[in-house]
Amino acid sequence: MPVGTFDAWDAAVLISILVISALIGIYYRYTGGKQKTTQEYLMANQSMTTFPVSFSLMASFMSAISLMGVSNESYQFGTMFCVINIAYWISTPIAAYIFLPVFYRMRTTSVYEYLERRFGQATRLSASLAFTIQMILYMGIALYAPALALEAVTGIPRTAAILVIGLVCTFYSTLGGLKAVLITDVFQSFLMFAAIYAVIAVSAIKAGGFAAIWEVAVERGRVEFDDFSVDPTVRHTWWSLIIGGMVTYLSLYGVNQTQIQRLLSVRNLKSAQSALWWNLPILGLLSFSTIFSGLAIFYYYRDCDPLLEGRIKSRDQLMPLFAVDTMGQYPGLCGLFVSGIFSASLSTISSAVTSLSAVTLEDYLKPMYKAIFKRTLVDSQSTLPTKVMAFFFGLLCIGLAFGAGSLGGVLQASLTIFGVVGGPLLALFSLGVCTTRTNQRGALLGFLVSLIISFWIGFGGPKPSPIPLSFSMAGCENATALAAQALQLSANSSPVVIEPHYFWLYRLSYMWSCVIGFIVAVLVGYVSSIALAHFGWAENSEIYLDKYQKQLDYDLFAPILSRRWRRQAERQNHLTTTQDEALTKLTQQ
């Protein structure tokens, strides 16, 4: 297990960060509107500026999973993963100008209200339930990751770490609402960057500069940007990272409740789009920095891999082990690093808690209240149950974190969860905003078929384990004994290794699971909608404003399409009017 120290200075820094996060929650509980309305509690009274929202967009999902998972990715598999940033740049204008204006016109607390207006209540409830399951699973992983860090650095049991982080996060999220979450996200984002740059700086000092880190990475085969293979079983290629990254990014930043809730907290659509664009360089900077931090860690352990040496149980613990091995001579620096890991997790969990409480209120509690009591749940009565739900989801997150270790690698597990659910959800919204022929029955059929296939691919098995790049034990103090042990294990094993046969879908790169889910949902949803309408088994009256189904509700569609359809309708109306006038003149003659 780890060596090194986590002294009083480090503990003081960590405790200070947790206390500050809690105090922010208390501050927003007793200032402003004092969180007495759901509009303030869940939407920050739509008074936020671009700066905190842009940081919050990054911190909501690129959290401890990025800090530890992406760093571990470049340590084990090289730098190929950085190509996914191209997908972010391609996808941002789609999210900003196709999806965001539709949600902004509606100004609803839950994005799934759009699905009810476009398709019907059954579609809204199905999508909302899928999102709830997705976020609950993701919260468990996000809390599990920093617990690994604390365990590796200090030896404190993982259980204690999960409880401390989970309870602090639940406290300020429940107390301060979205305003507190957004401001703590900004504070915690800077700590995330501080943790990454602390790793890079310490390694660069020991290496004598950044050039030495890069040279070793090139020499040991860690630098790779040119895998253009079209083989879908290759873990990371340009095609899987760009196409799969686009679907994953749009499912998060285009139609996800957590991110849309933040974007709707600003004053107007232009500010919301600016926040999305400003998030892009912040996200890219964190991504590239974290990938380089993996190379920096590899430089330090280039001749003695800690996992092969037996010092750690999983390479997800590499970054915190590096911190305790190298930062002890700098008082408080190791504590700052662990605080960055904690902050990353806190921002993600708090974001999930606020979004889940919003969805629960709007999609479940309000409809249930109206069905039972035959009246609408007023805003003044809904704040308390919303806070109770936030508290409940915080505690649920703590419980699920204890089972997150069974999901395998932190990064791959998180992307698998978002791919499995995110692809079908993105397809559902895409069919809504981009087509007029898709109806509720067709959309639901496509969504459910896609979910089944995506879950099968994402969590079915057995699957082949990814093969990492080579590691060395030549520099270990007990290198001879470790080598002898490896030879003994090899001698005791069968000389012939028979590769198990894996089903071809299980051999696909995990990056393709979201793409398959998206494509299946779109194809099945659109084709089945046309077929059902043809046989008179489904109708699509929700998209019209009049009972004669002549006037489209253009607010339900992407602006670029609604403008085009509006012009076509105007030309058609003008042509019809002209023909009527001509016919009238003829009849008068």
Side-chain angles (χ1 to χ4, degrees):
M1 285 306 290
V3 296
T5 59
F6 190 82
D7 58 25
W9 284 104
D10 299 319
V13 171
L14 177 58
I15 293 172
S16 299
I17 299 305
L18 295 174
V19 170
I20 291 173
S21 297
L23 289 176
I24 292 175
I26 295 174
Y27 174 80
Y28 282 101
R29 168 62 180 85
Y30 293 104
T31 59
K34 300 182 179 181
Q35 311 301 322
K36 291 182 179 180
T37 65
T38 53
Q39 182 69 10
E40 181 180 14
Y41 187 73
L42 296 175
M43 304 299 291
N45 276 338
Q46 297 176 343
S47 61
M48 301 304 296
T49 59
T50 299
F51 177 78
V53 172
S54 60
F55 272 92
S56 181
L57 290 172
M58 178 276 294
S60 295
F61 288 102
M62 306 302 286
S63 62
I65 291 173
S66 286
L67 298 188
M68 300 172 64
V70 176
S71 176
N72 177 40
E73 171 70 29
S74 62
Y75 181 95
Q76 286 197 89
F77 301 100
T79 58
M80 192 66 202
F81 188 73
C82 72
V83 175
I84 201 172
N85 285 275
I86 297 176
Y88 300 160
W89 284 91
I90 297 173
S91 303
T92 295
I94 300 175
Y97 303 112
I98 299 295
F99 292 105
L100 183 57
V102 176
F103 298 125
Y104 209 92
R105 281 196 294 258
M106 295 180 61
R107 282 281 193 170
T108 58
T109 302
S110 169
V111 296
Y112 304 107
E113 184 174 331
Y114 165 80
L115 294 178
E116 182 174 4
R117 281 187 57 184
R118 174 60 180 85
F119 296 115
Q121 188 177 29
T123 307
R124 175 182 184 175
L125 291 177
S126 299
S128 178
L129 181 61
F131 165 78
T132 301
I133 296 172
Q134 175 193 43
M135 290 307 299
I136 288 173
L137 290 174
Y138 185 76
M139 282 196 306
I141 295 177
L143 183 52
Y144 168 78
L148 273 180
L150 190 60
E151 183 181 53
V153 170
T154 67
I156 293 177
R158 195 176 309 175
T159 301
I162 289 174
L163 288 174
V164 169
I165 304 172
L167 290 175
V168 170
C169 179
T170 302
F171 174 79
Y172 76 76
S173 300
T174 303
L175 210 60
L178 185 61
K179 283 185 179 179
V181 170
L182 290 172
I183 299 304
T184 52
D185 280 352
V186 176
F187 170 63
Q188 291 158 0
S189 295
F190 286 111
L191 290 171
M192 291 162 61
F193 280 104
I196 291 297
Y197 289 128
V199 170
I200 295 174
V202 170
S203 181
I205 291 172
K206 293 185 176 296
F210 298 109
I213 295 175
W214 187 258
E215 288 170 4
V216 168
V218 172
E219 179 186 326
R220 303 291 180 93
R222 257 61 188 178
V223 177
E224 181 187 16
F225 304 107
D226 58 351
D227 193 335
F228 292 94
S229 172
V230 295
D231 183 357
T233 64
V234 178
R235 189 166 179 269
H236 287 156
T237 67
W238 271 69
W239 313 115
S240 66
L241 289 168
I242 292 178
I243 300 174
M246 285 181 63
V247 175
T248 301
Y249 180 92
L250 287 173
S251 70
L252 297 179
Y253 289 86
V255 301
N256 187 279
Q257 167 70 27
T258 305
Q259 303 295 55
I260 300 301
Q261 189 174 345
R262 273 143 189 74
L263 290 168
L264 295 184
S265 70
V266 298
R267 296 184 177 90
N268 51 58
L269 175 60
K270 185 177 180 180
S271 297
Q273 291 170 331
S274 296
L276 201 52
W277 278 109
W278 277 111
N279 161 73
L280 195 55
I282 298 171
L283 184 63
L285 180 61
L286 179 66
S287 176
F288 285 114
S289 300
T290 311
I291 287 171
F292 191 79
S293 73
L295 302 182
I297 294 172
F298 178 77
Y299 174 87
Y300 185 77
Y301 295 119
R302 64 192 183 281
D303 293 324
C304 186
D305 179 70
L307 184 65
L308 297 179
E309 191 184 12
R311 297 181 63 202
I312 55 176
K313 298 178 181 179
S314 166
R315 288 202 174 94
D316 288 330
Q317 296 176 323
L318 269 170
M319 184 179 276
L321 176 67
F322 172 84
V324 80
D325 278 352
T326 60
M327 298 181 186
Q329 58 183 302
Y330 308 103
L333 187 60
C334 190
L336 178 64
F337 166 80
V338 177
S339 298
I341 298 291
F342 273 33
S343 296
S345 180
L346 288 168
S347 62
T348 299
I349 300 166
S350 61
S351 300
V353 166
T354 55
S355 62
L356 285 171
S357 57
V359 165
T360 303
L361 173 69
E362 297 293 329
D363 297 342
Y364 305 115
L365 293 183
K366 283 188 175 180
M368 189 182 302
Y369 184 91
K370 188 172 184 179
I372 296 173
F373 298 102
K374 309 302 180 184
R375 63 177 185 272
T376 303
L377 181 64
V378 298
D379 192 63
S380 59
Q381 294 177 321
S382 58
T383 306
L384 179 59
T386 305
K387 293 180 179 180
V388 171
M389 292 309 302
F391 182 73
F392 166 76
F393 282 117
L395 296 183
L396 181 62
C397 170
I398 295 172
L400 290 174
F402 292 108
S406 61
L407 291 176
V410 170
L411 176 66
Q412 184 163 333
S414 65
L415 291 179
T416 299
I417 289 172
F418 274 104
V420 164
V421 182
L425 276 177
L426 176 63
L428 198 58
F429 280 99
S430 299
L431 287 170
V433 302
C434 296
T435 70
T436 58
R437 302 187 69 178
T438 308
N439 51 56
Q440 175 164 253
R441 292 186 177 180
L444 269 180
L445 180 61
F447 180 63
L448 295 177
V449 170
S450 176
L451 275 180
I452 292 171
I453 294 176
S454 296
F455 268 98
W456 172 35
I457 296 173
F459 295 102
K463 293 181 179 179
S465 300
I467 302 174
L469 300 173
S470 61
F471 301 99
S472 173
M473 294 187 298
C476 299
E477 293 182 0
N478 55 345
T480 304
L482 290 172
Q485 183 180 3
L487 288 173
Q488 182 65 35
L489 290 173
S490 177
N492 292 337
S493 62
S494 172
V496 179
V497 178
I498 301 175
E499 283 291 328
H501 175 72
Y502 296 102
F503 182 55
W504 67 275
L505 277 177
Y506 295 155
R507 291 188 288 114
L508 292 177
S509 167
Y510 70 98
M511 291 298 298
W512 289 110
S513 62
C514 57
V515 181
I516 293 174
F518 175 78
I519 292 175
V520 168
V522 168
L523 290 179
V524 174
Y526 192 72
V527 172
S528 61
S529 291
I530 295 175
L532 290 168
H534 175 75
F535 291 105
W537 295 338
E539 52 89 26
N540 204 16
S541 59
E542 289 83 4
I543 66 173
Y544 297 101
L545 295 174
D546 61 324
K547 63 180 180 179
Y548 302 106
Q549 299 188 9
K550 297 293 185 181
Q551 185 178 356
L552 273 177
D553 185 354
Y554 295 106
D555 287 347
L556 296 175
F557 303 99
I560 188 173
L561 295 175
S562 61
R563 286 195 296 268
R564 177 185 175 188
W565 294 335
R566 192 189 297 272
R567 287 195 297 268
Q568 290 176 345
E570 289 173 351
R571 285 197 298 267
Q572 183 63 37
N573 290 336
H574 178 71
L575 179 61
T576 302
T577 302
T578 303
Q579 291 174 343
D580 290 344
E581 291 175 352
L583 183 60
T584 301
K585 290 180 180 179
L586 287 174
T587 55
Q588 288 176 349
Q589 293 176 356

